[in-house]
Amino acid sequence: MDSVTSDARAPLSASADNGLKIVIVGGFGVGKTTLVRSVSEIRPLNTEETMTQAGASVDDISEVRGKSATTVAFDFGRITLDTHNILYLFGAPGQERFWFLWDRLFSGTLGAIVLVDTRRIDESWYAIDRLEHYGTPFIVACNDFGGPPHTPAQIREALDLDPHVPLLDCDARSRESSKQVLITLVEHLQSRYARHGAAAAEGALQSPEPAL
């Protein structure tokens, strides 16, 4: 999936002092690089390499026949939320042989986006498993590849998603659609931390008074 990337290199504000790390994960060829490209305010750093015949026996490209390049480390982009808060976007490589990099990318991550191709939904299980293992909050975005339609209930069942995990459709080629994915993640994180804060406060109020 191709996207148009702006040549603008927006300078980072001198007042920006809070960097928030977001990781985009998912299977091979689900559109992670495309999403970073479409939404980043700077020209993204890509570590794409041309796919050759030598990799045909390693990477299954039967469902992504138009794909000619692949990420071998990670993609990096940036988007400014306000004068103090910056989102740093890291797109993880999708092939199984690069999954060992994911654990390092998850370090210090505020939250994650699991990008899904519903034609190959089983390739999303590993990403969700690793995020749940690390306790990293995430949302699920189904990228539009024009496959057969699935209801949200069907997708949730196939992925065994917790009811609290947001699920939405997107087109990773569209800047507006990709922005909505990020907004959904930020809102999910705010809601999650608000719930945890309220639960902690309630627990403190219900604790017995210390003996004097």
Side-chain angles (χ1 to χ4, degrees), residues 89-100:
L89 310 175
F90 291 82
Q95 301 99 309
E96 184 174 352
R97 58 195 167 109
F98 294 126
W99 284 354
F100 71 93

Side-chain angles (χ1 to χ4, degrees), residues 130-144:
R130 298 312 296 165
L131 290 169
E132 290 179 340
H133 172 77
Y134 280 94
T136 303
F138 66 92
I139 67 170
V140 174
C142 297
N143 199 7
D144 182 13

Side-chain angles (χ1 to χ4, degrees), residues 20-23 81 87 109-113 135-139 164 166 181-197:
L20 309 172
K21 181 180 178 182
I22 300 297
V23 172
L81 297 180
L87 280 184
T109 297
L110 181 68
I113 297 164
T136 303
F138 66 92
I139 67 170
H164 295 296
V181 172
L182 290 174
I183 290 170
T184 300
L185 175 60
V186 171
E187 290 176 343
H188 175 56
L189 294 173
Q190 290 175 334
S191 175
R192 186 175 187 271
Y193 290 126
R195 288 198 307 270
H196 286 188

Side-chain angles (χ1 to χ4, degrees), residues 18 20 41 79-87 182-183 186:
N18 190 22
L20 309 172
E41 66 191 17
I79 187 166
T80 301
L81 297 180
D82 54 41
T83 55
H84 292 281
N85 297 289
I86 307 293
L87 280 184
L182 290 174
I183 290 170
V186 171

Side-chain angles (χ1 to χ4, degrees), residues 28 51-61 94-98:
F28 178 46
M51 298 176 65
T52 65
Q53 190 61 36
S57 60
V58 180
D59 300 319
D60 181 7
I61 61 172
Q95 301 99 309
E96 184 174 352
R97 58 195 167 109
F98 294 126

